[in-house]
Amino acid sequence: MQQLIHEVFLPHLSPSGKAADHDGALLEVSRSKLAFTTDSYVVQPYFFPGGDIGSLAVFGTINDLAMCGAQPLYLSAGFILEEGFPIGDLQRILQSMEKVLSECNVTIVTGDTKVVDRGKGDGIYINTAGIGIREHDQTWNPRQIKPGDAILISGDIGRHGIAVMSVRHGLEFETEIKSDAASLWNPVSALLAAGIEAHCLRDLTRGGLSSAVNEIAQASGLTIHLEEKHIPVREDVVAACEMLGYDPLYVACEGRFLAFLPAEQVEDALRVLRNHPTTSNAAVIGEALSGRPGRVTLLNTIGVERILDMLSGEQLPRIC
Amino acid sequence: MQQLIHEVFLPHLSPSGKAADHDGALLEVSRSKLAFTTDSYVVQPYFFPGGDIGSLAVFGTINDLAMCGAQPLYLSAGFILEEGFPIGDLQRILQSMEKVLSECNVTIVTGDTKVVDRGKGDGIYINTAGIGIREHDQTWNPRQIKPGDAILISGDIGRHGIAVMSVRHGLEFETEIKSDAASLWNPVSALLAAGIEAHCLRDLTRGGLSSAVNEIAQASGLTIHLEEKHIPVREDVVAACEMLGYDPLYVACEGRFLAFLPAEQVEDALRVLRNHPTTSNAAVIGEALSGRPGRVTLLNTIGVERILDMLSGEQLPRIC
């Protein structure tokens, strides 16, 4: 275990070697408003087009902090390895974490590794927890959403889920569909810098767009109305969904978010987002209404309005 | 999943219900010197005399913060459940977490749950990460240890490991040996309040006393000398170790620590620790010497000095 930590983990995750002697990291944070979040990652397979469990474990927790309006600073990483997990796969995952951490200017400051017996895991599970700092006074949560708020989506949906499922089913499409996993902090901080006053931000992960808007409709006590024709989905994702029997509205993303904000700020927000590569397809897809609390309605592409339910059970297990 | 979180997790871990709508927790921390740590807990079996995986996941991370000299404030909790895990067991584990969190005045502010397929886990794994606050300027690490420093142990060793292994082997002893798992923050803060200036603190977990002193001998560049006759071990633990073929010096504890401190402060430190129930058996067990760097020597009970090696491989896998 000592050898594993010193020879495999620390060269990637703590190049300075500072973390080696301690059970915990000592941090100096210049201001006192912090955000703290955690997620475990159990995605299967752990390599997929556009990423792997390592990059996902970094992006996912960064994005939870970004959704709190907090700049991601520090992560912890806890690894649960199944006995016999190939060291080459571990190194590839650690390299991928190292790369995205560096791109995002985020540091893993504390970590832990446990090995479980063969048959008591599935190769690798990773938990990350993250600390971020909030430098503004906006409060984002579903209860801040007002009737008339516009709903903005940051990009096209469903690519992460399809990227993972295509490997799981051994499918190949004409064009490779890569996961949309990406950090959302840069576009979120650009919205803040531009003076956009959002009421709620929410990333689209497990359960996709439908689950996110259903949760928000319930928590806000409002009706959410979406127009399908405005929801960006790539044609190859639609085709893959048809082949696999999924509805893109329920397929997980790992680099997309919704912003609920006053209608008069929509144009400014779109201009800001379209300047960032990960949010260049941002679009307005609906609005919040003072209708029945918790209801989500979808005007579909042939002009019929229907109720969009939350998925019960998991359409796509172990997608993140 | 929604139902599981709202009906099972939140009543225990977020009685106020505040955590429900967010991916992350927003924290106000009054000062800026923080400690941050993480551990995953995979103990098998997940119930054992004196505790369970839930109480262990709280105490373990609290203790890592305490060893940094930080008052534990906030925890995250990530659960990986195997499909079919009994809900009654989960509730019992959550109740146990709730109880020790309340005793320790620590709050779980953010959490996550993933379910993996049957055969891809072992009932339940828990990761906790913790944030603590440091209100003093002492720096504790092995490089601060000076030749001549006394080594103090906070209590008797080996009970946690034996408690877990006795269940695993289906053994019963005349007296039930309960895990020593406990929070170390109160005695550590009492040492700080009494003005004790320790050079290094280290809790004894995987690999027990021997592994801890070997790691510290290496990191400090000093020789560590221990006297076996002063090391507190209960007779029933010695007997159980003999029966199971273990050496108590290598058996894990979850509520014990070493303090390396100037010899002239030892009496004061002992007086402070003996006032706390979890550290009432504190004892001086050795000293740091300017001998060969990284060496650990043990004067055993029959007066023979031997080298005490670090264990290679795990004597007791999945003990925490």
Side-chain angles (χ1 to χ4, degrees), chain A residues 21 23 25 27 29 32 34-37 39-40 112 114 117 119-120 125 127 143 202-203 206 215 318, chain B residues 2 21 23 25 27 29 32 34-37 39-40 112-114 117 119-120 125 127 143 202-203 318:
Chain A
D21 301 331
D23 281 332
L27 311 174
V29 177
S32 60
L34 300 178
F36 183 35
T37 185
D39 257 324
S40 299
D112 174 63
K114 294 288 188 303
D117 348 10
K120 303 294 183 186
Y125 298 142
N127 175 285
R143 290 181 297 275
R202 178 64 57 100
D203 56 341
R206 275 191 283 181
E215 283 173 30
R318 297 188 52 196
Chain B
Q2 285 271 318
D21 301 331
D23 280 332
L27 311 174
V29 177
S32 61
L34 300 178
F36 184 34
T37 185
D39 257 323
S40 298
D112 174 62
T113 304
K114 294 288 189 300
D117 348 11
K120 303 294 183 187
Y125 298 142
N127 174 286
R143 290 181 296 276
R202 179 64 57 102
D203 56 341
R318 298 187 53 195

Side-chain angles (χ1 to χ4, degrees), chain A residues 1-2 5 18 21-42 44 63-65 67-68 70 74-80 109-117 119-122 125-127 129-131 134 139-143 202-203 206 215 218-219 310 314 317-318 320, chain B residues 1-2 5 18 21-42 44 63-65 67-68 70 74-80 109-117 119-122 125-127 129-131 134 139-143 202-203 206 215 218-219 310 314 317-318 320:
Chain A
M1 184 57 74
Q2 284 271 318
I5 290 170
K18 274 193 219 164
D21 301 331
H22 284 295
D23 281 332
L26 301 180
L27 311 174
E28 296 271 345
V29 177
S30 59
R31 287 167 198 82
S32 60
K33 289 167 66 185
L34 300 178
F36 183 35
T37 185
T38 192
D39 257 324
S40 299
Y41 300 84
V42 299
Q44 194 278 315
N63 290 347
D64 283 345
L65 292 172
M67 293 300 105
C68 299
Y74 302 111
L75 296 188
S76 66
F79 296 83
I80 297 178
V109 290
T110 180
D112 174 63
T113 304
K114 294 288 188 303
V115 177
V116 296
D117 348 10
K120 303 294 183 186
D122 197 10
Y125 298 142
I126 303 178
N127 175 285
I131 296 179
R134 277 163 57 88
T139 309
W140 297 340
N141 76 53
R143 290 181 297 275
R202 178 64 57 100
D203 56 341
R206 275 191 283 181
E215 283 173 30
Q218 281 171 19
M310 190 176 297
E314 263 192 296
R318 297 188 52 196
C320 61
Chain B
M1 185 58 73
Q2 285 271 318
I5 290 171
K18 274 193 220 160
D21 301 331
H22 284 296
D23 280 332
L26 300 179
L27 311 174
E28 296 272 345
V29 177
S30 59
R31 287 167 198 79
S32 61
K33 290 168 65 185
L34 300 178
F36 184 34
T37 185
T38 191
D39 257 323
S40 298
Y41 299 85
V42 299
Q44 194 277 317
N63 290 347
D64 284 345
L65 292 171
M67 293 301 104
C68 299
Y74 302 111
L75 295 188
S76 67
F79 296 83
I80 297 178
V109 290
T110 181
D112 174 62
T113 304
K114 294 288 189 300
V115 177
V116 295
D117 348 11
K120 303 294 183 187
D122 197 10
Y125 298 142
I126 303 177
N127 174 286
I131 296 179
R134 278 164 56 88
T139 308
W140 298 341
N141 75 54
R143 290 181 296 276
R202 179 64 57 102
D203 56 341
R206 274 191 283 181
E215 283 174 30
Q218 281 171 20
M310 190 176 297
E314 264 191 297
R318 298 187 53 195
C320 61

